């Protein structure tokens, strides 16, 4: 499955037309695509897992009696 989908606000064009002016889409910032919900969940769960499984570092120079 693809991780990106067309922007729903600008229909994948990257620009919005408002009262005779053409502006960059505020939702996708002109990229014309957005991350799908499943990919957002996967990225979030990976970052949570990586943060919880990193080895603990101890600073032995700060407390020599330990």
């Amino acid at each position: 499955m693809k991780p990106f989908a067309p922007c729903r606000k600008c229909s994948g064009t990257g620009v919005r037309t408002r009262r005779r002016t053409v502006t960059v889409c505020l939702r996708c910032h002109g990229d014309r695509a957005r991350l799908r919900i499943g990919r957002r969940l996967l990225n979030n769960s990976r970052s949570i897992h990586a943060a919880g499984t990193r080895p603990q570092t101890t600073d032995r120079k700060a407390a020599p009696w330990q």
Side-chain angles (χ1 to χ4, degrees), residues 5 8 14 16 18 38 42 45 64-65:
R8 289 176 284 183
R16 299 272 304 175
R18 292 188 220 162
L42 183 65
S45 64
W65 59 85

Side-chain angles (χ1 to χ4, degrees), residues 38-64:
R39 187 58 174 193
R40 281 183 200 263
L41 291 173
L42 183 65
N43 289 348
N44 192 16
S45 64
R46 281 184 180 177
S47 66
I48 289 172
H49 176 73
T53 57
R54 290 189 183 134
Q56 296 293 325
T57 59
T58 57
D59 190 13
R60 299 213 180 253
K61 293 180 182 177

Side-chain angles (χ1 to χ4, degrees), residues 29-41:
H29 304 287
D31 292 335
R32 302 183 305 191
R34 63 174 176 85
L35 271 178
R36 291 180 184 263
I37 294 171
R39 187 58 174 193
R40 281 183 200 263
L41 291 173

